[in-house]
Amino acid sequence: MSFEKLAGAVQRYHPSPDLKLIEDAYKFAEEQHSGQVRASGEAYFTHVFETALLTAELKLDVPSIAAALLHDTVEDCLVSHETLLGKFGPEITDIVEGVTKLTRIEFDSQEEKQAENFRKMLLAMAKDIRVVLVKLCDRLHNMRTLSHKPEDKRRRTAQETKDIYAPLANRLGIHWLKSELEDLCLLYLRPEIYELIRSKFDNTTKERDSYISETTQNLIHALEESGVSAAVKGRCKHFNSIWGKMERSNISFEEVHDVIGFRIIVPTLRACYEALGIIHSTYKPIPGKFKDYIAMPKPNMYQSLHTTVIGPGGQRMEVQIRTAEMNQVAEEGIAAHWRYKEGGGLPGFDLQWVRELVETQQYLKSPDEFIQSVKGELFPEEVFVFTPKGQLVRLSFGASPVDFAYAVHTDVGHRTTGAKVNNTLVPLDHRLRNGDTVEILTSKTHVPNKDWLRFVKSSKAKQRIRAFLKAEEHSRSLAIGIDILSKDLRKVKSSLKRVESSGKMLEIAQGLGLKTEGDLYAEIGYGKLSSTKVIAKLLPEGVDVEEKLQAKPTPLQRIFQRAAQVSRDKVGVKVSGFDDILVRFAKCCEPLPGDRIVGFITRGRGVTVHSGECPRALESDPLRLVDVFWDDDMHTTRKVRLLVYSQDQMGLLANMCKAMTDSGANIISAHAKTSELGRAENTFDISVNDVRHYERVKRSIEMVPGVIKVERLGSGGTTDDDGAVDPPEKKRAPKTGHVRLK
């Protein structure tokens, strides 16, 4: 951990670095972290030193290196803003504070804390991209040393890294960092898969190295014969990339044919296309596997030609062709454009997606929505389509004409009634393809449809549609609440106008933690607040409000209250502020005890409980949200549906069933369907105690030889307007190709 090592790393790419500034930061951080120890037993200063080395590996400027050394002094050493500002100036201080986590701020939930972290990161990115580059280096070193943390902490950190930080590195084009983060996530989230792939690689090391060496020479020879000078390098795909292909295609490791890839670096742009022609004339190309990212670069500036061919021995191999400059950007992304800019300022990199996310925060009322929108923007697969005037529009992969309409303008999206793609009328859920020309048909009287949320892909479209629908639903609830309260006030010889003019209604609203009378009326309209409770605050003490309002429960209402009690006891969920309300689980996600849950109330229909990560829950108005929590005193089993993709082999169904029962799960039903390609899809309904029990069962199934992937499903059915799902119709299983167990 010597300063000389860090200084040498910076001097290898920086012609004249301010080593005095880096040394001052080094000594200050070493002094502040003195005596602090990490979970591994190492001195804490090791972490900040290694983070600084990683920023040097990204070839960042001197303020970034200094900020990396200082990035934990505010959080862990309680160094004040003024101290940093006085010693290191505003530029370094701003980067440090941008990287600092919000650990000293208390939030209502882990999700809210995570959302605020991301908000701060995005705001900092829009101002200075170096903040997130240092943050990524910090996260990479934390992932490298994650094995010393408890298992639940490892899994939580790895999941967050997989969801946010690895895609963020990819979005910024830093390929090597993204790949290492993904492989480390696989190691901690799916250790059995990581070990399987590692052992397969270890068993074929000699054959693979020989194949790479021979094919590399063949490629160089073919290119040189045609007069193209090139450097060729063969490599194996990263573990996570291989697992991703296994998971997407439901295949085994042996069936992943393009494990090996080759990169060809040529001197000029023209030589890229010449090399492509040579490769295609030497090896047979696979149709549909060619992509030109030079003519149509990725949003993270990535440029390269990709093709997949049948190489020696009939083995598929991917070939990437690019110039040296393209290769530098491909590996280092935005960091290649930052470098050591002496004049300061941002590099020439389009961070429009970051600015749009920051701008649209006003539409996002819950942490879940914000986190989902961030995730949606971090995955870079896109399609390129055109307006009728020939303007290029980038959209999320799988986007629809509605996504296109909202990309043009929010008002165009709201008024969309139809669409033409390449001069042909198409349904609004039509999936757009690269090169399509899209024309939107609109009407001034048209408004967004809730069903659009089921097929739109872009964060902008989802946010604008939700905002419109929530405003509309709030207006309806406001009108219902005013009507209910007005009628009940007349029963006690009063009126809404009289109570409002006296100021008492605002006083009652504020006493209930609401800002305005309108919020109070909306709460009544939603069913979250009873008019009886409001009117009780207006009448003298001792007056029987229920008698005045004739609100004593009828025999039918008493039956409903008893049913509500039974439902609550059965599901084991409590609703904050309600003792006699019907509770039911949403069938779209079927939450298990231990899952984070949210509840949405609907007048006359009780509370529907969703998993906190359920997309359906995000479609609901947050003003209908009620606090729900698992009743720890209840110990009931819950049904969960699993979909298991596997090989079609004798005895595998029995082995999977044994794995489940050995893990303490009761199999309610099993349904196996085979295909001609030697695959099987197995659907199991099992009962488990909670989410931890489910995870144990899932891992036991995944360890069965022949199992490819295990997914947890909702039970299906038709979604009603509050996000709950009616039971699916029972269907008789086909007689052939199926096995049904009871």
Side-chain angles (χ1 to χ4, degrees), residues 219 411 564 602 622 627 676:
L219 287 168
D411 286 341
T602 303
D627 291 330
E676 295 177 357

Side-chain angles (χ1 to χ4, degrees), residues 9 18 78 118 161 238 267 302 370 402 428 492 552 572 594 599 617 694:
D18 185 351
L78 304 182
F118 297 150
T161 303
H238 291 275
Y302 178 90
F370 180 74
V402 176
L428 290 179
V492 295
K552 290 187 177 180
Y694 158 73

Side-chain angles (χ1 to χ4, degrees), residues 455-466:
F455 58 78
V456 294
K457 299 295 182 183
S458 69
S459 296
K460 181 177 181 179
K462 290 177 182 177
Q463 291 156 10
R464 300 304 194 268
I465 295 167
R466 284 174 183 153

Side-chain angles (χ1 to χ4, degrees), residues 208-223:
R208 192 173 60 253
D209 289 348
S210 176
Y211 185 91
I212 289 174
S213 177
E214 291 177 14
T215 306
T216 298
Q217 293 303 316
N218 292 342
L219 287 168
I220 292 173
H221 180 70
L223 291 165

Side-chain angles (χ1 to χ4, degrees), residues 352-364:
Q352 180 62 30
W353 62 278
V354 176
R355 288 190 286 273
E356 285 182 2
L357 268 180
V358 172
E359 175 193 339
T360 54
Q361 285 184 71
Q362 58 184 306
Y363 295 93
L364 305 171

Side-chain angles (χ1 to χ4, degrees), residues 593-624:
D595 281 332
R596 189 171 64 84
I597 52 176
V598 293
F600 290 90
I601 193 167
T602 303
R603 276 191 71 81
R605 302 173 73 179
V607 170
T608 304
V609 179
H610 288 264
S611 163
E613 285 71 38
C614 178
R616 295 269 193 261
L618 295 177
E619 296 171 13
S620 301
D621 189 342
L623 292 176
R624 289 167 50 201

